[in-house]
Amino acid sequence: MFHRWAGAKLATKLFLSYLLIVLVGVATLFVAVTLIAPDFFGSYMYGMMQGQGGGMGPMGGMMGNGNGSAPLTTTGDALDAAFRASLMRALLLAAALATLAAIGLSAFVSHQIAQPVRRLATATHRIGAGHYAERVTVPPADRGDELGEMADSFNEMAASLERTERHRLELVGDVAHELRTPIATLEGYLEGLLDGVVTPSAETWAMLHTEAGRLRRLVDDLQELSRAEARQIPLTLKPVVPETIVEAAVGRLGPQFEEKGLTLAVKLPGPGQGPGRGGLPRVRADADRAVQVLSNLLTNALRYTPAGGRVEVSGARQGNYVALRVSDSGIGIAPEALPQVFERFYRADKSRSRALGGSGIGLTIAKALVEAMGGALTVQSPGLNQGSTFTFTLPVAR
């Protein structure tokens, strides 16, 4: 019975509560009348018998003297009056008891229903005050109904707000950390130049130019990330041949793969191998931004795949989407790190990524761009040192 109640909807619980209150009131009224009415009737009869004289026998008051019908009529009227009076008095008292029982049960039911709402209101005020760790406990009786679903949704919202606040704080710290290194380098060289400790030379100016370039790239990446997440980057969506996206990205980064000693392979379905008219269908995308996304994934594979490894670009149709995949034989990703791959400034290997010059927000920008074009970007990895596969989808052009 408890499991049925716990899994019922709020409307069902309210209906059953009202029905229970009515049944309790009716039952209380019936029991009270059954127990009280006979006593009241007996009390009235005893009073009538005492009023007609104590010398009569038990039936004397009701039967009269046996010589006529008038006493019987009078006694019948008296019995009727006694019955009505006793019944009315019993009903009034029973109704009072039934009302008290219904009020008590109604108060209990109202408390049980209002308590989760009060908990939600209190938690909402605490969330508004900045206590993002606040959560609402869902009693077993409320699980499965609208109040339980609302509490679960509130907890999910609170967890999301807590993650957002944590990411904001981490973003401030990460930006400060990323800016500190080039600024310290620039400041050190400039002080050396001012004090005459560092001799002006082409190498010195080149170093200063490199550090200034790192600052500019970081600022540009942050600005683009902000615009991408706010969907403020203008996109020119039109039918695009997926092969041209792959050719542009591979042609741009191919020499870097050769220089590092990596094998870069492309596997796309040719005419007659893919669904529909052969090959991959056209996708609805911004060609430049799609190339940017694929180039970012290839750059990521280039950084994290040791020399002698292999990177493969493949494509396939998935329903109303075309999926482009970048698979590598690199360092892989730990299972617990997979949900954090697309977070700002996240690095599975911080020291290695920083040495390679990555800002840590390229994948975040790529995910925002793909979603703005109507697709999705995901990652899979069996584990550390087992490679990884990044897949982004784009809708088929109609």
Side-chain angles (χ1 to χ4, degrees):
M1 180 67 182
F2 175 76
H3 294 292
R4 293 180 180 178
W5 175 267
K9 294 297 182 181
L10 182 60
T12 304
K13 291 182 178 180
L14 289 174
F15 173 76
L16 293 177
S17 300
Y18 295 150
L19 182 61
L20 179 62
I21 292 172
V22 172
L23 292 177
V24 168
V26 172
T28 304
L29 184 65
F30 177 80
V31 172
V33 169
T34 303
L35 296 177
I36 297 173
D39 294 337
F40 284 168
F41 186 71
S43 175
Y44 277 108
M45 289 299 299
Y46 180 77
M48 290 174 55
M49 293 171 64
Q50 291 294 328
Q52 293 179 2
M56 295 182 297
M59 302 299 293
M62 290 184 293
M63 302 303 296
N65 54 15
N67 297 324
S69 60
L72 291 176
T73 303
T74 303
T75 303
D77 294 338
L79 286 174
D80 182 69
F83 176 77
R84 291 178 180 273
S86 61
L87 181 61
M88 181 60 65
R89 187 176 178 184
L91 284 175
L92 291 175
L93 184 56
L97 294 176
T99 302
L100 291 177
I103 290 176
L105 184 59
S106 299
F108 174 76
V109 172
S110 301
H111 174 74
Q112 293 298 111
I113 294 176
Q115 188 175 13
V117 179
R118 284 196 295 268
R119 286 198 298 264
L120 277 174
T122 303
T124 302
H125 290 307
R126 289 185 57 80
I127 288 288
H131 302 281
Y132 298 110
E134 184 72 17
R135 298 294 184 272
V136 176
T137 303
V138 183
D142 292 336
R143 294 191 179 277
D145 65 4
E146 289 80 357
L147 291 176
E149 293 174 0
M150 184 164 55
D152 291 335
S153 299
F154 175 86
N155 289 336
E156 293 177 3
M157 179 197 69
S160 178
L161 289 174
E162 187 178 17
R163 287 194 301 268
T164 301
E165 179 65 13
R166 185 175 67 252
H167 293 166
R168 185 186 68 82
L169 296 176
E170 292 175 353
L171 175 62
V172 174
D174 290 335
V175 171
H177 179 78
E178 295 294 332
L179 292 175
R180 187 179 296 113
T181 300
I183 289 178
T185 302
L186 289 173
E187 187 177 22
Y189 272 93
L190 290 174
E191 289 180 355
L193 289 171
L194 290 174
D195 296 339
V197 178
V198 177
T199 303
S201 63
E203 291 78 9
T204 301
W205 301 124
M207 175 65 71
L208 294 176
H209 183 269
T210 299
E211 295 302 320
R214 288 182 61 185
L215 282 175
R216 178 184 54 78
R217 286 194 299 273
L218 178 59
V219 172
D220 290 343
D221 287 345
L222 289 172
Q223 183 180 16
E224 186 170 10
L225 174 62
S226 175
R227 294 172 58 196
E229 291 187 336
R231 302 292 180 91
Q232 294 179 351
I233 294 181
L235 297 175
T236 304
L237 300 178
K238 59 183 180 180
V240 180
V241 178
E243 288 80 359
T244 61
I245 299 175
V246 176
E247 291 173 0
V250 171
R252 179 185 301 175
L253 297 172
Q256 299 183 36
F257 280 84
E258 295 179 2
E259 182 180 353
K260 189 175 180 179
L262 298 176
T263 301
L264 178 58
V266 177
K267 287 188 177 182
L268 297 176
Q273 299 178 6
R277 294 168 291 179
L280 294 175
R282 293 172 179 257
V283 295
R284 185 173 181 268
D286 186 305
D288 294 336
R289 295 299 181 179
V291 172
Q292 177 183 350
V293 171
L294 184 56
S295 299
N296 186 286
L297 299 181
L298 288 173
T299 301
N300 190 71
L302 176 66
R303 287 174 178 167
Y304 294 104
T305 303
R310 176 184 174 86
V311 177
E312 180 179 291
V313 181
S314 60
R317 179 165 183 172
Q318 296 180 348
N320 294 327
Y321 294 87
V322 169
L324 296 178
R325 297 184 180 87
V326 176
S327 304
D328 63 67
S329 59
I331 64 173
I333 305 172
E336 63 273 11
L338 286 174
Q340 304 173 345
V341 168
F342 299 108
E343 293 181 2
R344 308 179 190 94
F345 291 104
Y346 176 79
R347 287 163 173 157
D349 187 349
K350 299 186 187 306
S351 60
R352 179 184 180 93
S353 180
R354 190 172 294 112
L356 292 171
S359 64
I361 57 177
L363 290 177
T364 310
I365 295 175
K367 182 177 177 64
L369 288 174
V370 171
E371 291 176 351
M373 290 186 286
L377 176 59
T378 57
V379 60
Q380 294 177 335
S381 178
L384 293 176
N385 300 317
Q386 300 185 54
S388 58
T389 300
F390 286 84
T391 305
F392 74 96
T393 58
L394 295 172
V396 174
R398 299 185 181 277

